[in-house]
Amino acid sequence: MKLFKNFITFEGIDFSGKSTQTKIIAEKLQALGLNVKLLREPGGAVISEKIREIILDNAHQELHPRTEILLYSAARAQIVHEKILPLLEAGDYLMLDRFYDSTTVYQGYGRKLDIHFVEALNKFATSGLAPYKTFFIDISPEEALRRRKAADRHSDRLDNENAEFYQTVWKAYQNLLHQFPNRYIVIPGDETIENISTFILHKIIEIWKLPL
Ligand code: TMP
């Protein structure tokens, strides 16, 4: 397993506010003078962003679960080797919005693919790179659906999933939290945007021992 202290990931079910939070926090850290990068999955590199378009395209309803996991993994293999490993090896700080835990819960549990195969594929795509810490912004599946309705966002393929899928994914994340209690930091997602970002920011400063 490859572990870099300067590598932190963010996970959560859809509509957890994860992308809003990672942007706010990265900007705050950069304003404090820290050389921190923010990348997202699927995406974050030219080839991986193209794969993201295929995966999320609403017209691709026929996308098979096996094709889907291979596409997520292909996007990941590219961003890891092209961007993430060189950045970490150069000593940069990196915040990543989703990583292989998303594949474990969405494809492994959500699509009911063999979990041992999924874990092996995750290792293959990442060459064994693992996050040092992972923030999980926790909202209930019911809250996710409520936010989806309020946002009236039905723009991508994954937004069409039903309540049961979100429930399964949320439960799978709870399993991961128990499996990796030292890596995972859980934040209640129903707090205000400001409270959540302040909490995470302080934790990151502590984890990275930043002299700020
Ligand atoms: P995002 O909304 O965080 O940008 O993620 C896009 C969607 O892709 C989201 O519904 C979660 C899903 N996803 C997977 O199903 N498997 C994965 O490995 C990743 C990275 C994302």
Side-chain angles (χ1 to χ4, degrees):
M1 187 163 84
K2 283 190 196 120
L3 211 54
F4 292 83
K5 200 171 177 184
N6 42 343
F7 181 36
I8 285 177
T9 60
F10 293 79
E11 297 284 347
I13 63 174
D14 296 58
F15 297 93
S16 63
K18 189 174 46 56
S19 304
T20 308
Q21 286 299 335
T22 47
K23 264 187 217 118
I24 295 173
I25 294 156
E27 277 166 18
K28 285 197 174 158
L29 286 168
Q30 282 156 358
L32 290 167
L34 189 76
N35 189 12
V36 61
K37 301 262 180 342
L38 169 63
L39 293 171
R40 70 164 178 188
E41 274 221 66
V46 173
I47 292 169
S48 311
E49 288 289 336
K50 285 193 177 167
I51 297 172
R52 178 188 177 93
E53 281 172 28
I54 298 173
I55 297 173
L56 298 184
D57 192 333
N58 220 342
H60 295 167
Q61 295 300 323
E62 72 276 33
L63 189 68
H64 191 276
R66 291 189 184 218
T67 317
E68 186 189 53
I69 192 172
L70 293 172
L71 286 173
Y72 277 116
S73 303
R76 177 162 308 126
Q78 190 60 36
I79 189 187
V80 163
H81 297 92
E82 182 189 329
K83 296 266 171 101
I84 296 180
L85 283 173
L87 278 173
L88 295 177
E89 277 156 7
D92 283 358
Y93 291 92
L94 178 62
M95 293 168 52
L96 183 59
D97 182 350
R98 294 198 184 281
F99 199 33
Y100 60 76
D101 285 344
S102 289
T103 300
T104 303
V105 300
Y106 282 84
Q107 280 65 54
Y109 290 90
R111 305 284 186 225
K112 303 189 176 15
L113 297 174
D114 178 74
I115 212 69
H116 298 293
F117 170 74
V118 174
E119 283 170 3
L121 185 58
N122 286 344
K123 281 207 184 89
F124 178 78
T126 58
S127 291
L129 174 67
Y132 184 70
K133 293 284 176 197
T134 302
F135 286 97
F136 178 68
I137 304 178
D138 196 7
I139 61 163
S140 66
E142 296 76 26
E143 175 64 10
L145 286 175
R146 206 189 54 73
R147 289 184 186 185
R148 183 171 87 178
K149 258 196 201 132
D152 200 22
R153 191 193 89 180
H154 285 271
S155 54
D156 74 40
R157 199 178 50 85
L158 279 304
D159 285 341
N160 300 322
E161 294 301 344
N162 60 24
E164 197 193 329
F165 184 79
Y166 282 134
Q167 190 79 42
T168 307
V169 165
W170 182 83
K171 276 196 195 137
Y173 269 125
Q174 302 303 313
N175 282 348
L176 281 188
L177 305 184
H178 287 109
Q179 209 180 330
F180 303 105
N182 295 329
R183 168 158 71 86
Y184 262 99
I185 300 163
V186 185
I187 304 108
D190 51 4
E191 285 283 332
T192 63
I193 292 181
E194 206 193 334
N195 281 352
I196 295 175
S197 62
T198 305
F199 176 85
I200 298 178
L201 193 66
H202 283 124
K203 277 277 171 204
I204 290 182
I205 289 172
E206 211 178 285
I207 293 163
W208 285 341
K209 298 189 172 57
L210 299 172
L212 301 172

